[in-house]
């Protein structure tokens, strides 16, 4: 089935038009500066990229621009929008209500709206994308695929916070976890690469601009590093990861920050950017560290150290590990960080093959022949998961 996959942000919208079976991508692109002026970048494999300035006061004009270019006789890839069988939307927060993807109807929209307080930055934008598609292509079925859904198998001891229980009961405060679609895709590939054993324990390391780890037993998430929101876990590009809440009170008191300013610091100015003062991009940090920048080196050391701690913790709670998967920008491309993360874990049966690890962006087994634990590099494909879910729900 030919599926249009949409990932709508507050001022941007990514799209990918693809075949759900096999994953062939016919076209993909990005609408930027929605609500400001509007720019479309459209890419078709084997052709030159197209960049157009198109006014996009709202997401409606952005979706219209995407459909227009898709049917354009020169730049397009289809004759009519009827060739789009269904639309799959990435939605950040589904709360505890969504354990899997669902067809978008009034009840689904209401449930996504209910989750806005849990995902205040993303859910409203995701809804704008959904509503724009409903308006502009009313006859085309739409599906919501939630970043949180795959994590809903966590047991209570993993998702409960040790604060008064009433906040869980009345206010839905609990660990939700994110990057679920990515963890689902790469862990399924890993289980396949392990030969589909009856019992499997996988640690999936999604290391990108935002990063999270997940402990996955027999294909089901047992624990994950992000929490109520995507700020939790280990240090990321600009996000702090877990911090002692006392820091908030201390800094807010000293500098008169309100909670918004404080959270902005933790979300946008922290992580490896905050430690290094250099960049949130790990390529810049590698370069700076190689030139002797001590803080860049400290930021990288901290990142590796914290990822290692999660690997140790997850191995313990799963009673062992069969495979460690590296994915997303850093996980797929940083040969050195993968090496550093696995270094010193030989006592756990984790042995990397340095030569095999000399790879970027390609699915492969990088563990040594005698490694008890497999180490896989698996490029993530969230769009394919979204397209597959959409096709399977709409095909029914
Ligand atoms: P993502 O959010 O998955 O797109 O990942 C983006 C991040 O991947 C960038 O911020 C970089 O830090 C990182 N990245 C991409 N390529 C490399 C590379 N060759 N070496 C180290 N980090 C990389």
């Amino acid at each position: 089935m030919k599926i249009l996959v949409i990932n709508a942000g507050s001022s941007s919208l990514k799209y990918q038009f693809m075949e759900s079976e096999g994953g062939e991508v016919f076209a993909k692109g990005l609408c930027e500066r929605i609500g400001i002026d509007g720019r479309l970048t459209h890419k078709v494999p084997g052709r030159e990229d197209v960049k157009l300035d198109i006014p996009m006061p709202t997401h409606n004009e952005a979706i219209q621009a995407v459909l227009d270019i898709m049917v354009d006789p020169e730049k397009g890839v289809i004759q009519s929008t009827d060739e789009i069988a269904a639309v799959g939307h990435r939605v950040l927060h589904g709360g505890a209500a969504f354990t899997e993807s669902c067809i978008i109807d009034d009840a689904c929209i209401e449930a996504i709206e209910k989750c806005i307080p849990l995902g205040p930055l993303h859910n409203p934008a995701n809804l704008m994308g959904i509503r724009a598609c409903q308006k502009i292509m009313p006859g085309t079925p739409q599906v919501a695929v939630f970043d949180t859904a795959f994590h809903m198998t966590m047991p209570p001891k993993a998702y409960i916070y040790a604060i008064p229980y009433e906040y869980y009961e009345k206010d839905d405060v609990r660990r939700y976890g994110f990057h679920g679609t990515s963890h689902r895709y790469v862990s399924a590939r890993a289980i396949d690469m392990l030969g589909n054993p009856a019992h499997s324990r996988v640690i999936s390391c999604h290391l990108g601009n935002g990063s999270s780890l997940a402990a996955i037993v027999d294909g089901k998430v047992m624990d994950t590093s992000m929490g109520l929101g995507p700020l939790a876990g280990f240090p990321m590009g600009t996000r702090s990861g877990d911090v002692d809440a006392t820091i908030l009170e201390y800094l807010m008191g000293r500098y008169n920050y309100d909670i918004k300013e404080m959270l902005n610091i933790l979300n946008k100015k922290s992580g490896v950017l905050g430690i290094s003062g250099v960049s949130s991009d790990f390529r810049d940090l590698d370069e700076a560290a190689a030139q002797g920048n001590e803080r860049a080196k400290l930021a990288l050391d901290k990142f590796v150290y914290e990822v290692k701690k999660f690997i140790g913790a997850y191995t313990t709670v799963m009673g062992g590990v069969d495979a460690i998967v590296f994915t997303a920008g850093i996980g797929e491309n940083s040969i050195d960080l993968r090496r550093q993360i696995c270094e010193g874990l030989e006592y756990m049966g984790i042995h990397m093959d340095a030569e095999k690890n000399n790879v970027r962006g390609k699915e492969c087994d990088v563990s040594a022949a005698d490694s008890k634990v497999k180490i896989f590099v698996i490029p993530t494909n969230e769009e394919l998961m979204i397209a597959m879910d959409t096709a399977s729900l709409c095909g029914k």
Side-chain angles (χ1 to χ4, degrees), residues 28 68 80 86-87 103 117 122 147 154 174 182 187 209 246 263 326 330 333 354 386:
K28 63 178 177 181
D68 287 348
S80 143
V87 183
I103 296 249
H122 296 86
D147 245 31
M154 274 186 286
R174 52 161 283 175
S182 173
S187 62
N209 235 334
T246 315
L263 283 176
F326 289 101
I330 301 160
N333 295 301
I386 295 173

Side-chain angles (χ1 to χ4, degrees), residues 206-210 280-283 286 328-330 333-334 360:
H206 179 109
L207 310 178
N209 235 334
S280 63
D281 192 305
F282 282 70
R283 287 162 289 198
D286 281 343
I330 301 160
N333 295 301
S334 180
R360 288 202 165 102

Side-chain angles (χ1 to χ4, degrees), residues 98 102-113 127 130 144 146:
F98 291 104
C102 77
I103 296 249
I104 296 176
D105 54 16
D106 290 347
C108 172
I109 291 205
E110 204 177 303
I112 298 172
E113 276 172 342
L127 277 168
I130 290 171
F146 300 93

Side-chain angles (χ1 to χ4, degrees), residues 1-19:
M1 248 168 127
K2 286 181 176 155
I3 308 290
L4 180 62
V5 176
I6 299 281
N7 184 358
S10 56
S11 66
S12 69
L13 184 147
K14 279 191 215 150
Y15 63 95
Q16 192 154 309
F17 182 53
M18 63 192 296
E19 177 58 57

